[in-house]
Amino acid sequence: MIRRLSELLDREERGRLRRALLGTAVSAALQGAAFALLVPLLRVLLDGGRPERAWPWVAALAAVAVAHAVVTYPSVVAARNTGYALSRSLHDRLGSRLVRLPLGWFSGGRVGTVGRLVTYDVMNVMSVPAHLLEPLVRATVTPVCMVLVMLVADPRLGLAALACAPVIVLVHRVTGRLVQRAEHAADAAAAEAGARVVEFAREQPVLRAYGRTARGVREVDDALVAQRRAGRRMIRVALPGLAGFALTVQAAFVLLLLLGTHLAVGGTVDAPALLALLVLAARSAEPLSSAAELGAALRMAGNSVDRLQKVFDTPPLPEPDTPERIRDSSVRLERVSFGYGDEPVLRDFSLTVPPGTTTALVGPSGSGKTTVTRLVARFFDVWEGTVRVGGADVRRLAQQELMSRLTLVFQDVHLFDGTLEENIRLGRPGAGEAEVREAARRARVDEIAARLPDGLRTRVGEGGALLSGGERQRVSIARALLKDAPIVLLDEATASLDTENEAAVLEALEALTADRTVLVIAHRLETVRGADRIVFLRGGRVAESGSHDELLARKGPYAAFWSERERARGWRMRAVPQSEDERGRSCTTSS
């Protein structure tokens, strides 16, 4: 465990950990020496002789106690500082690693897993040097010192104590392994429960719209029940093991007591020496009893190290040693194949978006439209083929260089729990106040700010909960305007907005996409008529491409898709009367 822990520390922290371990070991040995001095001291005091002969032993005991205090203080401070430094280092490393992992890693129950990593697991690991090593070393070194003293004072009792050691070690190891396995299951259940609770809180609008209460959410209930069962299972496994270990330690002490009594009755050991040795045996039992709990905690910390190391070992998207430079704002995919599992989503896919043009991706759900934009932004690396931005393979670009040239605006907008201004400034943190306000004006966020008590300095709540969907989208576009990147990847953001917000967002998008290279995923076909080129995807391939009029004239897949959408739109128009006469006729008919 110490070796694995050292791998998580830098050179300075490893040196501090070694000093803490050495100091703790010396401190524990001094504590053992202090108790060893009780043997001659008690002999002098209890043999009926002159008490003044005890003063040298008292002086030696006092000297050892002072030395113990002098050694203990710096070792404890070093151990605590190592723990705090380890916590800071782990959080830094986790943050650096998470931002470099492929987006595909953040799926399923990863939200709960990451939450457990940065809280429970980091705290577990930092507690090893800060809180566990010192008592664990004492629980090991002090009893060893006392057994050595017993071997010197009375070899028979010392050998008896030594014979009990393998049994105690065996029970300790078995207990630790049982706790380790049970804790793995409990942690997995806790991570799953955490992910389900976060999902439950995040999806409250949908759940309430359909009348689903907490009692009725099966996924949350099942996850919490599984967590409770896993916790109980760990307790059922741990408690018998801990109790069995304590019983083994006490049984060993009773055996020593019986042996000592037998030797005293037989006259082969004097009573003062027996009393002193039994005091040592009793004092050894105390730290040994706590060793089981400390060992279980150490095993759980080892599990935490494994989980953290698994994240650190997950390969990030590789960065080139000699990165290329972006020459223009073109986007090109060349014979790309890629998927999220075993089945490919894109198959031999090629696409070219010339600089300063707008290309719209159209197609049925699952055809690979969103995947194309994710590959351009290098959220994943392709299986086969090449993705080029500005003429350079994205795998040969520094991530910072690539992202500085891209602006991403998607339907699922996330705002941080800060002010409107802070969320806009995320696009370019170094921007001046005038630039932030200009971006807000162009995205019509200033209209939102005018209705709020603190204007742009109004907090938007977690995830932007205090704003509507259209308002959140306007903030994200203001953020993109402030960034002012030459390439825009746009997952059309108006598909589910009301008329007022749709008009505002479309106006903001017009400002965002002017004179830029735009790759837009189109959900509402009416909005792509003006695109320079429309690419229709089907089954992960380009079925056809061209302008709107050209594709309609061909009467191919795009024309059929367009006709189907037009029929659906006409049905909606008939289903929702627009004029008063239509509403009146509808009411008359229904009556």
Side-chain angles (χ1 to χ4, degrees):
M1 178 64 190
I2 301 301
R3 180 183 57 80
R4 294 162 61 201
L5 192 64
S6 297
E7 294 173 355
L8 300 176
L9 299 169
D10 59 28
R11 179 179 299 179
E12 181 181 352
E13 291 163 352
R14 282 196 292 270
R16 187 185 295 138
L17 177 62
R18 284 193 293 268
R19 290 193 297 272
L21 281 172
L22 178 61
T24 301
V26 173
S27 173
L30 289 171
Q31 188 179 60
F35 285 106
L37 290 172
L38 290 176
V39 175
L41 179 60
L42 288 175
R43 273 182 169 171
V44 170
L45 293 176
L46 298 176
D47 67 356
R50 292 175 296 175
E52 59 272 13
R53 293 170 54 194
W55 284 115
W57 299 113
V58 171
L61 185 60
V64 170
V66 170
H68 174 266
V70 169
V71 171
T72 299
Y73 178 78
S75 65
V76 170
V77 171
R80 297 293 191 273
N81 288 339
T82 302
Y84 303 146
L86 181 59
S87 175
R88 182 176 62 252
S89 173
L90 288 175
H91 281 123
D92 289 344
R93 288 184 62 187
L94 273 174
S96 299
R97 175 63 61 165
L98 290 175
V99 299
R100 295 180 59 205
L101 291 178
L103 187 64
W105 188 86
F106 299 90
S107 61
R110 294 294 191 186
V111 173
T113 299
V114 171
R116 293 277 291 179
L117 283 171
V118 300
T119 53
Y120 175 80
D121 286 327
V122 170
M123 289 297 294
N124 258 3
V125 176
M126 68 88 65
S127 70
V128 173
H131 306 295
L132 292 181
L133 282 183
E134 179 192 355
L136 193 60
V137 169
R138 293 184 186 282
T140 304
V141 174
T142 301
V144 169
C145 291
M146 294 182 183
V147 169
L148 292 176
V149 172
M150 294 174 70
L151 284 169
V152 173
D154 191 300
R156 294 166 297 182
L157 287 174
L159 289 173
L162 201 59
C164 296
V167 178
I168 294 174
V169 171
L170 177 62
V171 174
H172 180 269
R173 292 178 66 87
V174 170
T175 300
R177 287 175 179 173
L178 291 174
V179 171
Q180 188 176 33
R181 284 199 296 268
E183 196 271 341
H184 266 309
D187 180 80
E192 175 66 17
R196 297 287 74 79
V197 169
V198 170
E199 180 185 56
F200 172 69
R202 183 178 295 162
E203 303 302 329
Q204 276 299 300
V206 175
L207 294 173
R208 294 189 186 190
Y210 289 93
R212 299 289 300 275
T213 63
R215 186 180 298 275
V217 182
R218 183 180 301 275
E219 293 82 1
V220 176
D221 289 344
D222 290 347
L224 292 175
V225 169
Q227 181 186 14
R228 184 169 64 249
R229 288 175 177 169
R232 287 179 174 176
R233 191 178 305 115
M234 186 172 75
I235 292 174
R236 286 198 301 269
V237 170
L239 283 182
L242 295 175
F245 182 80
L247 183 63
T248 302
V249 172
Q250 295 302 321
F253 174 70
V254 170
L255 287 175
L256 289 176
L257 179 62
L258 292 175
L259 177 60
T261 303
H262 173 73
L263 294 175
V265 170
T268 57
V269 63
D270 57 285
L274 175 62
L275 181 60
L277 292 174
L278 291 179
V279 167
L280 289 183
R283 187 61 186 84
S284 299
E286 181 182 342
L288 279 176
S289 298
S290 65
E293 296 180 20
L294 295 171
L298 196 65
R299 293 274 184 156
M300 293 166 66
N303 289 346
S304 294
V305 171
D306 292 339
R307 290 188 286 267
L308 288 166
Q309 196 63 53
K310 188 178 295 184
V311 176
F312 297 145
D313 291 341
T314 302
L317 293 175
E319 289 274 347
D321 295 329
T322 55
E324 297 181 7
R325 303 291 297 178
I326 293 177
R327 297 187 293 273
D328 55 38
S329 60
S330 64
V331 174
R332 184 180 182 89
L333 288 84
E334 303 170 347
R335 310 199 67 173
V336 166
S337 294
F338 174 78
Y340 302 101
D342 295 331
E343 289 296 320
V345 175
L346 297 178
R347 301 172 177 85
D348 198 28
F349 180 89
S350 296
L351 172 69
T352 299
V353 185
T357 64
T358 297
T359 297
L361 300 179
V362 178
S365 177
S367 59
K369 303 184 297 295
T370 299
T371 300
V372 172
T373 60
R374 298 299 196 263
L375 292 177
V376 172
R378 207 195 172 197
F379 288 168
F380 310 91
D381 276 340
V382 298
W383 293 353
E384 297 176 0
T386 307
V387 178
R388 298 185 184 277
V389 172
D393 188 334
V394 294
R395 291 168 295 194
R396 301 295 307 160
L397 290 172
Q399 187 71 9
Q400 186 175 0
E401 167 78 3
L402 173 63
M403 297 312 296
S404 70
R405 302 301 182 96
L406 300 178
T407 290
L408 288 73
V409 180
F410 297 123
Q411 278 189 308
D412 297 328
V413 178
H414 182 83
L415 301 184
F416 295 94
D417 187 11
T419 65
L420 280 170
E421 181 179 355
E422 289 168 345
N423 275 280
I424 295 173
R425 192 181 291 277
L426 187 66
R428 184 154 50 92
E433 184 175 348
E435 293 174 298
V436 173
R437 293 188 178 278
E438 176 61 15
R441 184 194 64 77
R442 294 173 66 191
R444 294 178 61 175
V445 177
D446 56 343
E447 299 174 1
I448 305 170
R451 299 194 302 267
L452 298 174
D454 298 318
L456 288 176
R457 289 183 171 83
T458 302
R459 299 187 71 87
V460 299
E462 184 177 356
L466 301 182
L467 303 179
S468 70
E471 290 171 338
R472 289 195 294 272
Q473 193 62 263
R474 283 194 250 176
V475 174
S476 76
I477 294 173
R479 180 191 294 169
L481 283 166
L482 185 64
K483 185 177 181 180
D484 195 25
I487 302 173
V488 177
L489 305 180
L490 176 63
D491 192 342
E492 187 188 341
T494 62
S496 58
L497 301 183
D498 58 77
T499 304
E500 179 184 356
N501 270 309
E502 180 181 359
V505 169
L506 284 173
E507 182 179 326
L509 287 174
E510 186 176 350
L512 174 64
T513 57
D515 302 322
R516 289 179 172 85
T517 302
V518 181
L519 184 59
V520 55
I521 299 172
H523 301 286
R524 299 181 64 169
L525 298 185
E526 308 86 46
T527 63
V528 301
R529 292 190 184 196
D532 298 296
R533 184 184 178 205
I534 298 172
V535 177
F536 188 84
L537 277 67
R538 185 167 59 187
R541 292 186 173 91
V542 176
E544 59 179 349
S545 66
S547 68
H548 174 73
D549 293 336
E550 290 172 348
L551 293 177
L552 286 183
R554 292 178 191 171
K555 300 185 183 301
Y558 175 80
F561 196 68
W562 174 270
S563 298
E564 183 180 344
R565 291 296 179 95
E566 285 293 292
R567 284 195 299 271
R569 182 172 179 269
W571 180 86
R572 288 196 300 270
M573 294 293 290
R574 292 193 299 273
V576 184
Q578 298 300 308
S579 69
E580 292 185 8
D581 291 341
E582 287 174 321
R583 287 196 293 269
R585 286 195 297 272
S586 177
C587 292
T588 303
T589 303
S590 63
S591 61

